[in-house]
Amino acid sequence: MYDQEPMIRVGLGFDSHRLVPGRKLLLGGVDVPSPFGEKAHSDGDVLLHALCDAIYGACGRGDIGEHFPDTDPRWKDKPSSHFLLEAGRLAKREGWRLVNVDATILLETPKLSPWKKTIAESIRRILAPVWELGESAVCIKAKTMERCDAVGRSEAIVAHVAVLLESGGS
Ligand SMILES: [Zn+2]
């Protein structure tokens, strides 16, 4: 145990979903045009789910499945922005401020470069009731898997997210 609680905390989030025809491809609350989207109980927003896990992890409060079980009919097709806002509110209640979000999305197609800025802005907007985030505080990166594995065959999408929290409320 430290004499004093640490002033900063890192959090790491991961999520993946199958891609299927006839579903929206939602990333950070943005509906990205695509012939297929995430199969899920909720809206399947893989990036917001990984971001929620990163925030919960940094707070030492488990994962999104513990807070919003996918067996609960209340969360069926629920916008994932709701989950993110709740994760942010919990972190703020516990005295944390979000310093930055760094995310990588793994997706073979469509190309996400035209959407990265819009997705980052959307995340800042969703979290605005909790924290004012500057433009550089949310970074969205995207990579393909060079046609290898399930992501490379466009059967799946993956998101990795790191966050840093610092103590100090708002
Ligand atoms: Zn998910």
Side-chain angles (χ1 to χ4, degrees):
M1 282 291 284
Y2 296 102
D3 290 342
Q4 272 190 317
E5 283 295 310
M7 301 296 282
I8 56 171
R9 289 275 189 88
V10 68
L12 186 62
F14 167 89
D15 194 33
S16 66
H17 282 272
R18 289 181 66 93
L19 292 172
V20 291
R23 289 274 303 189
K24 284 182 179 176
L25 181 63
L26 288 170
L27 290 169
V30 177
D31 184 356
V32 175
S34 165
F36 35 67
E38 300 109 328
K39 183 173 162 53
H41 182 70
S42 67
D43 68 7
D45 195 318
V46 69
L47 180 59
L48 293 189
H49 296 174
L51 177 51
C52 287
D53 265 11
I55 293 172
Y56 285 129
C59 295
R61 296 290 177 202
D63 61 37
I64 188 172
E66 293 171 36
H67 295 267
F68 303 101
D70 64 6
T71 49
D72 189 330
R74 273 182 304 166
W75 315 128
K76 183 161 162 48
D77 297 321
K78 192 85 180 169
S80 295
S81 53
H82 172 85
F83 306 142
L84 177 57
L85 200 50
E86 287 306 307
R89 286 192 172 124
L90 176 141
K92 187 169 185 174
R93 273 200 308 276
E94 301 202 339
W96 297 106
R97 193 178 77 87
L98 182 60
V99 178
N100 76 308
V101 173
D102 188 19
T104 302
I105 301 164
L106 303 179
L107 178 68
E108 201 64 23
T109 181
K111 287 269 172 275
L112 292 179
S113 30
W115 294 95
K116 290 188 286 192
K117 245 192 142 123
T118 310
I119 292 168
E121 278 166 16
S122 172
I123 287 174
R124 288 166 54 215
R125 199 168 46 240
I126 294 166
L127 284 171
V130 188
W131 296 301
E132 285 279 343
L133 297 170
E135 200 177 325
S136 70
V138 179
C139 181
I140 305 299
K141 309 188 298 301
K143 294 186 116 51
T144 72
M145 283 298 290
E146 305 276 337
R147 299 198 203 135
C148 292
D149 82 10
V151 171
R153 292 189 299 272
S154 289
E155 293 167 8
I157 183 170
V158 164
H160 295 272
V161 178
V163 300
L164 191 72
L165 303 184
E166 69 177 0
S167 64
S170 61

